[in-house]
Amino acid sequence: MRHGRLFRPIRGVPVRSLSEKSPRSVAGQVFILQVAVVVLLVVCGMFALVLQSRHDSEREAVNRSVAAARVFARSPGLPEALKGPDPSKVLQPVTELARKEAGVDFIVVMDTHGIRYTHPIPARIGQRFVGTIEPSLHGRIHTESVHGPLGHEVQAVVPVHDPVDDPHGRIVGLVSAGMKVTNVTVVVNRQLPIILGAGAAALALAMAGTALISKRLRRQTHRLDPVEMSRMYEHHDTVLHSVREGVLIVAGNGRLLLVNDEAERLLDLPADAEGRYVTELADLEPAMVELLTSGREATDEFLPAGDRLLAVNQRRTNATGDLTGSVVTLRDSTELQALAGRAEVARERLKLLYDAGLAIGTTLDVVRTAEELAEVAVPRFADYVTVDLADPVLHGEEPTGGKAVDMRRTAVSGIHGDAPLYPLGKLIDFLPSTPQARGFGTGRSELVTDLGNDPGWLAQDPERTRDVVRYGIHSLVATPLKARGVVLGVVNFWRSEKPEPFDEEDLSLAEELVARAAINIDNARRYTREHALAVTLQRSLLPRALPEQSALDVAHRYLPAQSGVSGDWFDVIPLPGNRVALVVGDVVGHGLHAAATMGRLRTAVHNFSTLDLPPDELLCHLDDLVGRIDQDESDTEVGAGVMGATCLYAIYDPVTGRCTMARAGHHPPALVRPDGSVEFPDLPAGPPLGLGGMPFRTAELELAEGTQLVLYTDGLIEDRTRDLDVGMEMLRAALAARPKRPPEESCQAVLDALLPGRPKDDVALLIARTRRTPADHVSEWDVPIDPAAVAGVRAAVTGRLEEWGLFELSFGAELIVSELLTNAIRYGSPPISVRLLRDRALTCEVSDGSSTSPHLRYAATTDEGGRGLFLVAQIAERWGTRYTPGGKVLWAEQPLPAWDAGEAAVGLPDALDAAAP
């Protein structure tokens, strides 16, 4: 309600009629103020236009002077004229002509000492130039305002270079051009009539508008006659004293000028309160007296008045003429405040539940979800929150039985960090009498309003519980975490700062809050179980330990992705003849299906490698297998199939130092040469596995001893935040930093450089440093197609074994060589050769040019032959056949003696490392 100047006449205070015109009325004052402002604005605008016009004219004069001086300084022939015997004779007429054409008052040519060669006043020729020439002697254009021979001048000085078109040439003279200031001001004076005329028009227009506004204001405030004005006062007086809102008008000296009936009732004021000072009213509360006498503005300040709570508003006014005072309104908000308090509490609780829905369950981690529940409830609901989960829940399992045993403190949050509650991570066995055990067993919340008088809780740990009570924690709500009918743990809400204990409304809020968190914790528990199963499956499918071999020094890393298990794998497979196969593959996707598919492919690679196939043929077989997997799974309910798989297969031969490899949609490996250079060999690219229709091709590289072969999956170099080329260059830089470090250190350095955090995709990394089989561990003989040559080869093999100290293996080696060589001479084709390899086993190889492979069979008692391979299989630990581009190789391995095998297993890699560059 706006009262303005309408109030009930006070005793002794006459009311002036608004119909009486005052010579100092508000309309007149506003008119005078507006006129003054308009005149000031117009005058300022005109002054600014004059200054701007003068500034523009002077700038134009400076620009014209600079342009004239620069053009004349760059005119052809000027340097030659300055060097001539009489520069004034040549340049004086030219400068006068140029001055008139350029519209400037003078153009002066001078030497580098400032002696004039030209001037509009010939008598000034030969005298020193009036102005500053030092900046121009350094190649700069200088402008200034001086008092020269023509009066007050604006001039520019420009250097003359020799040659003219070379700004860095030698300065042979100076040219100055300028104008008299009086010529500049003439232009401004011509504009003054226009500016003054525009200002006068603007002033007249503004004055007319101001007069119209003032006339309308006077009409709106003085059209009521005294009778109508009195009637308006009576109506407002009636309303003022009948509204359900207290109204006070207090003078600046603290005297009550007006009190309506509602204000008298709310403040319990006496009937003679009007006209008295506020400080004389003994029944007013001190806070109310302070506000009424201060005169400060107040908006909905709640002040007590007896048993009421009043909402007070106060505004300053000038209602009593020259004496400044204030207008105060009062509202009884006792019941409204109580309702507002309950509504605010309900709103805060709804806000807490809403925030809990957003903050709890952001991850599928049981511990983090419990921490989010504890953090969101402190301090908005409780002063301390602890979450105790059954120990199996943390491992993804459901708790067994209905007893609250083996509960681990999973999350703790509080307003202070020194509360004497059980610490984080402690395994707690709650007694059956405790609220936690009762809530866990029944699935219902337990409310303890006074912990100090609860014997069941105090019995849990008497010393600690007494410390908790002495610390100030006095009330508890223990709410079970229940999801799908299973109790997973208990959430404890503790109160210490608020003196009032938890009540039934707090109990219902705690149950609602915990119910929302229980679903998320159960989901995280189930995810933990599934993730653990998937990780266990994947770990069981990946190699747990690398096989023993002497051809390569191998290190590896496998990092699972953030989203869980995936389909990356690697393998190291020893092959006959001291060779080693390296495999890296990647199955697109995540989860159990990808891990299972990876296991099938890894098993298939192992099976195909036993056939000793070259890399391209092995990938062809693997491609057919993936195609069959897709076909078999396309009709199942899952219908997943293999979304995509890549593979890189390489075979390294330490005898020859050659490495053959082929790839199916995989990134090429990195080679770190012994000299530190890093390259990515251009291997023939094959399609990913399962597409079919495209053959795979093999590339053969010769690797020096000590070369590092780096195989990896795309998770190492590919990332959403960088391009593939950037990842390849980062890998190159990490490998080239220290090329001679061991593979184990290289693996860690690569991961540190490319994956500073946990990768979004899983990563498999395999780094192998090549070794060469020493030459004295290899013997080879070419054999003619003559059965008589078998005896000589047998003797040579025996002699070499004696040199190696392996005489006790000579009998078996002679028999193996005799049988395999005889078979090659009889059924094979040239060329035929025999090779002995000494490594972790003694390997005998017989190669020929035929692709026909012999087969082991049992000979009958009447057969004269057919027992050769049977004897070889009985003597050798392993034997087999592998095919080469020129034929086949039959090989057989004999285990070394125990003493020699141990020496080979320990000493040979060390010897090879010592021999490596």
Side-chain angles (χ1 to χ4, degrees), residues 242-542:
S242 60
V243 294
R244 298 288 294 175
E245 184 173 289
V247 179
L248 302 173
I249 296 181
V250 184
N253 56 4
R255 189 164 61 93
L256 282 177
L257 302 180
L258 180 141
V259 180
N260 71 345
D261 298 340
E262 184 66 10
E264 290 180 359
R265 184 184 70 83
L266 294 176
L267 296 177
D268 197 17
L269 296 176
D272 60 345
E274 287 186 356
R276 297 174 60 182
Y277 289 95
V278 174
T279 55
E280 298 176 359
L281 304 175
D283 295 335
L284 288 180
E285 296 286 346
M288 183 68 72
V289 173
E290 187 276 330
L291 176 62
L292 297 180
T293 56
S294 66
R296 61 180 174 85
E297 290 192 359
T299 301
D300 285 339
E301 287 192 13
F302 293 93
L303 299 177
D307 56 352
R308 297 185 180 93
L309 186 65
L310 304 181
V312 183
N313 292 272
Q314 181 168 270
R315 294 292 182 270
R316 299 179 67 84
T317 185
N318 211 15
T320 58
D322 296 333
L323 188 60
T324 302
S326 59
V327 177
V328 182
T329 60
L330 309 171
R331 295 194 313 275
D332 189 355
S333 59
T334 306
E335 297 181 359
L336 181 61
Q337 185 69 13
L339 292 175
R342 289 194 292 270
E344 180 65 19
V345 171
R347 189 188 68 82
E348 288 296 330
R349 292 186 173 185
L350 289 176
K351 183 67 167 54
L352 174 60
L353 293 176
Y354 174 77
D355 293 341
L358 297 178
I360 301 175
T362 59
T363 65
L364 288 174
D365 183 81
V366 174
V367 175
R368 181 55 193 155
T369 305
E371 291 173 349
E372 291 171 344
L373 168 60
E375 291 168 359
V376 78
V378 175
R380 298 165 65 179
F381 176 64
D383 298 318
Y384 298 91
V385 175
T386 58
V387 181
D388 304 324
L389 297 179
D391 205 44
V393 174
L394 299 174
H395 306 288
E397 304 298 332
E398 289 186 356
T400 57
K403 296 177 61 179
V405 294
D406 296 334
M407 296 182 66
R408 190 172 298 276
R409 182 133 295 178
T410 309
V412 176
S413 180
I415 56 176
H416 302 297
D418 58 347
L421 300 169
Y422 281 125
L424 185 67
K426 181 176 178 57
L427 192 63
I428 308 170
D429 184 7
F430 286 105
L431 296 179
S433 62
T434 59
Q436 291 86 352
R438 295 196 302 269
F440 190 91
T442 63
R444 295 188 297 271
S445 298
E446 294 285 332
L447 173 62
V448 181
T449 57
D450 187 0
L451 288 174
N453 294 320
D454 186 86
W457 177 76
L458 293 172
Q460 170 66 28
D461 187 346
E463 183 177 354
R464 184 179 293 274
T465 52
R466 284 195 299 269
D467 292 340
V468 171
V469 174
R470 283 195 296 266
Y471 186 79
I473 298 177
H474 56 80
S475 183
L476 165 68
V477 171
T479 304
L481 272 161
K482 189 175 181 181
R484 300 182 299 105
V486 178
V487 179
L488 307 176
V490 177
V491 182
N492 306 294
F493 301 94
W494 313 84
R495 178 170 287 179
S496 63
E497 295 296 318
K498 297 181 180 179
E500 64 274 9
F502 288 111
D503 54 21
E504 292 296 330
E505 292 186 0
D506 295 325
L507 184 68
S508 62
L509 176 60
E511 291 176 344
E512 180 69 22
L513 189 63
V514 172
R516 300 192 179 200
I519 300 299
N520 294 300
I521 290 180
D522 186 57
N523 290 338
R525 177 196 65 80
R526 298 170 67 183
Y527 172 79
T528 300
R529 182 187 61 188
E530 299 297 331
H531 180 70
L533 291 175
V535 170
T536 301
L537 172 62
Q538 187 178 41
R539 294 296 185 187
S540 66
L541 296 176
L542 289 172

Side-chain angles (χ1 to χ4, degrees), residues 60-82:
E60 175 64 23
V62 170
N63 293 340
R64 186 179 300 178
S65 300
V66 171
R70 291 183 64 182
V71 170
F72 196 85
R74 295 182 180 180
S75 60
L78 182 57
E80 289 75 8
L82 291 172

Side-chain angles (χ1 to χ4, degrees), residues 40-324:
L40 181 61
L41 290 177
V42 171
V43 171
C44 290
M46 293 171 59
F47 182 69
L49 287 175
V50 172
L51 291 180
Q52 183 64 34
S53 178
R54 181 178 296 276
H55 177 269
D56 292 343
S57 299
E58 290 181 358
R59 176 52 55 188
E60 175 64 23
V62 170
N63 293 340
R64 186 179 300 178
S65 300
V66 171
R70 291 183 64 182
V71 170
F72 196 85
R74 295 182 180 180
S75 60
L78 182 57
E80 289 75 8
L82 291 172
K83 297 175 185 178
D86 191 359
S88 298
K89 181 178 179 181
V90 177
L91 297 176
Q92 177 67 12
V94 178
T95 55
E96 287 302 299
L97 180 59
R99 176 180 66 82
K100 297 176 181 178
E101 292 293 335
V104 296
D105 291 329
F106 64 88
I107 296 179
V108 175
V109 182
M110 68 195 85
D111 60 9
T112 56
H113 300 288
I115 304 302
R116 300 189 187 100
Y117 290 142
T118 65
H119 197 275
I121 303 175
R124 299 290 183 174
I125 296 175
Q127 297 181 6
R128 185 172 181 82
F129 173 72
V130 179
T132 304
I133 63 173
E134 283 76 10
S136 301
L137 292 177
H138 291 86
R140 298 193 297 270
I141 297 175
H142 180 68
T143 61
E144 60 183 346
S145 177
V146 299
H147 290 278
L150 301 180
H152 193 188
E153 303 168 350
V154 176
Q155 62 185 15
V157 183
V158 177
V160 179
H161 297 275
D162 185 18
V164 173
D165 55 354
D166 184 6
H168 301 290
R170 185 170 61 90
I171 298 175
V172 297
L174 303 173
V175 176
S176 175
M179 297 180 65
K180 295 187 292 185
V181 175
T182 54
N183 292 341
V184 176
T185 56
V186 169
V187 177
V188 178
N189 294 335
R190 287 199 297 266
Q191 297 176 353
L192 284 178
I194 300 175
I195 296 175
L196 294 176
L203 181 60
L205 183 61
M207 292 291 291
T210 302
L212 291 176
I213 295 174
S214 179
K215 182 179 180 181
R216 184 175 182 182
L217 180 61
R218 287 195 302 270
R219 183 172 62 249
Q220 290 177 349
T221 56
H222 293 89
R223 294 191 59 179
L224 293 176
D225 56 32
V227 176
E228 292 173 335
M229 187 66 72
S230 298
R231 187 160 50 199
M232 179 181 293
Y233 268 78
E234 293 174 358
H235 293 169
H236 278 269
D237 186 69
T238 302
V239 172
L240 181 65
H241 290 276
S242 60
V243 294
R244 298 288 294 175
E245 184 173 289
V247 179
L248 302 173
I249 296 181
V250 184
N253 56 4
R255 189 164 61 93
L256 282 177
L257 302 180
L258 180 141
V259 180
N260 71 345
D261 298 340
E262 184 66 10
E264 290 180 359
R265 184 184 70 83
L266 294 176
L267 296 177
D268 197 17
L269 296 176
D272 60 345
E274 287 186 356
R276 297 174 60 182
Y277 289 95
V278 174
T279 55
E280 298 176 359
L281 304 175
D283 295 335
L284 288 180
E285 296 286 346
M288 183 68 72
V289 173
E290 187 276 330
L291 176 62
L292 297 180
T293 56
S294 66
R296 61 180 174 85
E297 290 192 359
T299 301
D300 285 339
E301 287 192 13
F302 293 93
L303 299 177
D307 56 352
R308 297 185 180 93
L309 186 65
L310 304 181
V312 183
N313 292 272
Q314 181 168 270
R315 294 292 182 270
R316 299 179 67 84
T317 185
N318 211 15
T320 58
D322 296 333
L323 188 60
T324 302

Side-chain angles (χ1 to χ4, degrees), residues 727-861:
M728 299 283 281
E729 287 303 318
M730 292 176 63
L731 176 59
R732 184 196 302 274
L735 294 172
R738 291 178 55 197
K740 295 186 180 299
R741 61 191 165 197
E744 189 70 28
E745 295 181 9
S746 295
C747 280
Q748 192 59 45
V750 167
L751 294 182
D752 292 341
L754 276 76
L755 299 174
R758 188 176 178 184
K760 292 183 173 59
D761 193 10
D762 54 341
V763 175
L765 175 63
L766 191 65
I767 299 181
R769 186 173 63 185
T770 61
R771 293 169 172 157
R772 297 292 291 271
T773 301
D776 59 353
H777 284 212
V778 180
S779 294
E780 189 170 3
W781 301 272
D782 293 330
V783 182
I785 303 181
D786 184 1
V790 176
V793 174
R794 233 182 4 246
V797 168
T798 301
R800 183 51 52 89
L801 292 179
E802 290 180 355
E803 295 177 5
W804 287 346
L806 301 175
F807 180 76
E808 58 187 77
L809 297 179
S810 59
F811 176 76
E814 287 182 6
L815 181 59
I816 291 173
V817 170
S818 178
E819 292 298 333
L820 295 182
L821 186 56
T822 301
N823 187 73
I825 293 175
R826 180 176 298 179
Y827 302 107
S829 59
I832 300 176
S833 64
V834 176
R835 187 171 73 168
L836 284 182
L837 297 175
R838 178 190 175 188
D839 192 63
R840 297 177 182 272
L842 178 64
T843 304
C844 176
E845 298 180 347
V846 176
S847 61
D848 66 86
S850 172
S851 60
T852 303
S853 177
H855 299 283
L856 179 67
R857 64 186 180 87
Y858 291 92
T861 56

Side-chain angles (χ1 to χ4, degrees), residues 604-618:
V605 170
H606 267 272
N607 293 334
F608 292 144
S609 66
T610 59
L611 302 177
D612 215 341
L613 299 174
D616 55 343
E617 294 185 21
L618 185 142

